Amino acid sequence: MKRTKRWALVLLGSSSVLLVPWTVVLALTLPTRTEVHNWSLAWIGLDVLMATGCAATAVLGLRGDARARLTASATASVALLDAWFDITTSAVGTALLEALGSAVAETGLAAACVFLALSKGRQSEPVPR
């Protein structure tokens, strides 16, 4: 294994260990309620990011470009984050039911993206037009 790659992996492993106490600190100190500025911009940005990831993955995948696996992986992460925040920020009742419905769709999208990210595909043969 290359030295740079090994150090990057050591850094990631160390980060995972350091994030445990940090998460405990956050759990003990963060307020349960807060006012959020630019709320709609945050949600719109997340959906634009997810749509862009879907489009990039589709275009790259249809061209047979191996980078589609990278965009698929990133898009899966964004879809799961969107689902998580939809559910955890929704009020009980109709809003939560809507969030759960959206989460089902977003989880399906994430699953499709993970499938594409893990598949070898035919990088040298683009899909015919």
Side-chain angles (χ1 to χ4, degrees):
M1 183 179 308
K2 289 185 178 181
R3 186 177 182 152
T4 306
K5 184 175 181 180
R6 179 178 298 273
W7 276 108
L9 293 171
V10 168
L11 177 63
L12 285 173
S14 301
S15 296
S16 71
V17 171
L18 293 172
L19 281 168
V20 172
W22 176 245
T23 303
V24 172
V25 168
L26 291 177
L28 296 173
T29 61
L30 283 176
T32 58
R33 295 178 159 272
T34 189
E35 182 178 328
V36 179
H37 301 283
N38 300 313
W39 180 257
S40 59
L41 180 62
W43 285 108
I44 292 166
L46 194 57
D47 286 339
V48 167
L49 185 60
M50 188 164 41
T52 303
C54 289
T57 301
V59 168
L60 290 170
L62 290 171
R63 290 182 178 170
D65 192 321
R67 292 175 296 181
R69 295 172 67 192
L70 297 173
T71 58
S73 178
T75 304
S77 298
V78 172
L80 292 176
L81 285 170
D82 195 327
W84 171 261
F85 285 108
D86 281 345
I87 293 169
T88 60
T89 60
S90 292
V92 177
T94 304
L96 181 57
L97 291 175
E98 290 173 0
L100 290 169
S102 293
V104 169
E106 290 159 345
T107 302
L109 171 65
C113 287
V114 168
F115 171 78
L116 292 171
L118 295 176
S119 65
K120 294 258 180 183
R122 296 174 290 157
Q123 281 78 22
S124 61
E125 300 177 35
V127 175
R129 294 181 195 205

